[in-house]
Amino acid sequence: MIMKWLHKFSSPPYFYALSGKLIKWLSVLLVAFLAAGLYGGLVLAPADYQQGDSFRIIYVHVPAAWMSLFIYMVMAVSGTIALVWRIKLAEIVSVCSPPIGAGFTFLALVTGSIWGKPMWGTWWVWDARLTSELILLFLYLGLIGLYTAIEDKRTASRSVAILALVGVVNIPIIHYSVEWWNTLHQGPTVTKFDKPSIHIDMLIPLLNMAIAFKLYFAIALLMRSRNELLQREQNGRWVEEVLEGK
Amino acid sequence: MINLKPHRKNRLMLIFAMILGVSVAAWFGLKAFNENLMFFFSPSDVVEGKAPQDHLFRLGGMVVKGSVERPGDGMTVYFVLTDMAKEVKVKYTGILPDLFREGQGIVANGKLEQADLFVAQEVLAKHDENYMPPEVAGSLKTAELKGAKQ
Amino acid sequence: MSQFLEMGGYAFYVWSAYGVSTLVLCYGLLRPYLDHKKTLREISLKRRQHKRDLND
């Protein structure tokens, strides 16, 4: 049953039509969560006892950093599926993810730097957390470069998937860097096993923003995938119908 | 995983083998550079002589409550850093980050001038992972005090 | 309102962080939107040319 649905979903014309509708619905949800998260984070949440209002940068910094890791995992999983089962849609997901992941990694680094200046007293330090996150940005950029450098898109996607899987080792390093080594960056706040060390009024907007960023990723991924699919299948008969339907 | 065809199984095994290989390589690499990945030395390292004697290094610890002194013009500040085991006195001239306060973690970059005086050229604040409004922090403190009294 | 904009003295840091985020995230949606339109245009152009070649 599930396999049957998956098969149907991954057929290009069906995916193309459904994703168009999905983007609209997800956009409505995105606006709702973004509004709730921003209003909660910038207005409702109280200032921090140590950091004052500067801590509000957390509402873009932390969700962006989570997304930089999450997107990498999505890419690695879909890359594995693409390599093993040769499913076209998985291939497309794994090659459309790097630009979005690079955007979030860039944001995590830049907002972290802007936060670090007033709080730590410096824009940048070469500690294990910051350095491994910078390596992640280079990995994403490398994947984008690799994909555009290879002419044949099927070969290119396979190379991207393999390089992505080589780089997957960096993900636990980023996550545990603050525990394995002493760093300037502090330890985890929300993803600790015991209760998170953030006040509930500050936590709720953070979770709203995290959901909003996930929705954003879904929308950006669907938009990019549709375009990629259209380019790869431009000689298919279903594309004719898409063009006429417009 | 149901009905995995042999050639697919092989490819999957190959992928796992590759990830395992890279992880082992990364593990050895990181182990070799472990010392360099440590961002700072602790006061215990300094007291035990593990920290470099004649060149710059970073010293991290908590500012001991009541140890901050500003003799003279107020631009030069002395304070004591602790890792709850050993203590080191630090001298610094310049602007301190907003988060610098007693009881807060900091990382100072500088040199040992004497065996027991660390002269910092730069002081960075290290904040903890706790976020809460001031009222909650205040009531937590009173609760702590009450708990200590009992 | 002005108190809100001041961000307790951290206005520059807070608003530049949110500003950069807005720019990057908007670009991340605008780019695929424009790319998609371009792809549709190019494909329909190619098809029309192809049909014309067949008729000649």
Side-chain angles (χ1 to χ4, degrees):
Chain A
M1 182 63 199
I2 293 169
M3 289 310 278
K4 215 172 171 184
W5 182 82
L6 262 180
H7 196 75
K8 196 179 169 198
F9 184 75
S10 57
S11 90
Y14 186 78
F15 173 79
Y16 189 86
L18 185 71
S19 60
K21 278 182 219 146
L22 257 175
I23 288 171
K24 284 191 191 111
W25 286 107
L26 291 175
S27 303
V28 174
L29 278 176
L30 171 67
V31 170
F33 275 99
L34 207 55
L38 286 175
Y39 186 71
L42 290 169
V43 182
L44 294 182
D48 182 56
Y49 76 122
Q50 289 283 2
Q51 308 192 34
D53 284 309
S54 77
F55 105 99
R56 296 183 196 281
I57 296 173
I58 200 176
Y59 297 113
V60 286
H61 173 72
V62 169
W66 284 343
M67 289 312 292
S68 71
L69 303 182
F70 176 77
I71 293 172
Y72 203 96
M73 289 321 290
V74 169
M75 192 173 70
V77 169
S78 61
T80 308
I81 295 172
L83 284 175
V84 176
W85 284 272
R86 304 276 148 91
I87 293 171
K88 261 187 223 161
L89 203 61
E91 215 169 74
I92 288 177
V93 165
S94 75
V95 298
C96 289
S97 297
I100 314 170
F104 279 116
T105 313
F106 174 78
L107 274 187
L109 287 167
V110 169
T111 56
S113 179
I114 293 172
W115 195 1
K117 184 59 189 165
M119 286 304 115
W120 295 347
T122 180
W123 298 103
W124 183 263
V125 288
W126 292 101
D127 82 351
R129 169 57 73 79
L130 278 68
T131 309
S132 55
E133 183 77 11
L134 186 66
I135 291 171
L136 183 68
L137 179 63
F138 291 150
L139 258 173
Y140 275 128
L141 296 178
L143 291 167
I144 298 169
L146 186 63
Y147 189 62
T148 40
I150 300 174
E151 192 87 27
D152 176 50
K153 290 305 156 202
R154 299 299 304 257
T155 320
S157 345
R158 229 168 280 168
S159 316
V160 164
I162 291 172
L163 181 60
L165 286 167
V166 170
V168 91
V169 68
N170 192 29
I171 300 302
I173 294 178
I174 296 175
H175 185 80
Y176 290 108
S177 56
V178 289
E179 290 171 23
W180 291 345
W181 302 287
N182 53 36
T183 51
L184 188 62
H185 196 285
Q186 75 283 7
T189 295
V190 181
T191 53
K192 288 203 298 202
F193 283 116
D194 49 349
K195 77 182 197 351
S197 21
I198 178 167
H199 192 265
I200 186 79
D201 291 347
M202 295 163 157
L203 180 62
I204 289 168
L206 186 60
L207 297 179
N208 277 330
M209 286 303 279
I211 295 170
F213 277 25
K214 290 246 157 54
L215 289 163
Y216 173 93
F217 169 58
I219 293 166
L221 184 64
L222 286 174
M223 286 172 84
R224 284 179 180 276
S225 304
R226 292 181 95 207
N227 187 37
E228 185 72 29
L229 194 65
L230 213 51
Q231 275 180 348
R232 288 189 181 196
E233 305 255 322
Q234 46 184 282
N235 299 320
R237 191 184 286 158
W238 66 273
V239 177
E240 191 82 31
E241 285 156 25
V242 168
L243 289 172
E244 278 162 9
K246 255 192 65 175
Chain B
M1 295 301 131
I2 358 123
N3 287 335
L4 206 57
K5 288 185 188 129
H7 66 286
R8 285 180 181 158
K9 201 173 170 185
N10 285 345
R11 285 199 287 243
L12 197 62
M13 294 311 261
L14 212 62
I15 289 171
F16 280 129
M18 186 182 74
I19 293 178
L20 195 72
V22 174
S23 307
V24 171
W27 190 77
F28 278 114
L30 291 173
K31 210 171 146 58
F33 290 106
N34 202 26
E35 290 286 298
N36 298 330
L37 288 167
M38 287 297 170
F39 190 63
F40 51 80
F41 291 89
S42 68
S44 295
D45 293 335
V46 172
V47 172
E48 287 159 19
K50 280 188 201 155
Q53 293 299 318
D54 43 4
H55 61 91
L56 289 174
F57 68 95
R58 292 195 202 83
L59 172 68
M62 202 187 85
V63 181
V64 175
K65 284 198 174 129
S67 73
V68 179
E69 292 168 40
R70 291 173 197 271
D73 58 357
M75 277 305 274
T76 301
V77 51
Y78 288 89
F79 52 88
V80 177
L81 277 187
T82 178
D83 57 356
M84 308 301 160
K86 298 277 160 48
E87 294 185 344
V88 172
K89 189 158 185 166
V90 180
K91 179 191 172 189
Y92 174 69
T93 308
I95 299 157
L96 290 163
D98 292 7
L99 267 187
F100 179 90
R101 55 201 71 174
E102 293 177 355
Q104 186 77 36
I106 66 136
V107 176
N109 191 14
K111 229 193 280 205
L112 275 177
E113 205 83 326
Q114 301 144 25
D116 54 350
L117 183 69
F118 182 85
V119 179
Q121 297 178 347
E122 184 188 35
V123 170
L124 304 178
K126 179 173 161 57
H127 63 79
D128 58 22
E129 67 276 20
N130 300 307
Y131 301 92
M132 55 186 131
E135 311 87 68
V136 177
S139 61
L140 267 183
K141 209 170 248 176
T142 24
E144 231 171 67
L145 286 176
K146 266 185 198 160
K149 268 179 201 163
Q150 278 164 7
Chain C
M1 188 65 195
S2 74
Q3 203 189 355
F4 168 70
L5 290 176
E6 269 170 34
M7 278 291 153
Y10 292 111
F12 169 74
Y13 300 105
V14 173
W15 296 121
S16 57
Y18 279 84
V20 176
S21 308
T22 310
L23 286 179
V24 171
L25 294 181
C26 284
Y27 177 76
L29 291 182
L30 193 67
R31 183 71 198 273
Y33 175 75
L34 295 176
D35 283 351
H36 185 234
K37 275 189 142 176
K38 198 173 138 211
T39 310
L40 284 174
R41 246 197 336 265
E42 280 172 358
I43 294 175
S44 69
L45 198 72
K46 251 188 230 168
R47 297 218 165 196
R48 250 179 284 148
Q49 268 169 353
H50 186 65
K51 267 184 198 152
R52 223 180 306 145
D53 291 346
L54 285 179
N55 289 338
D56 281 348

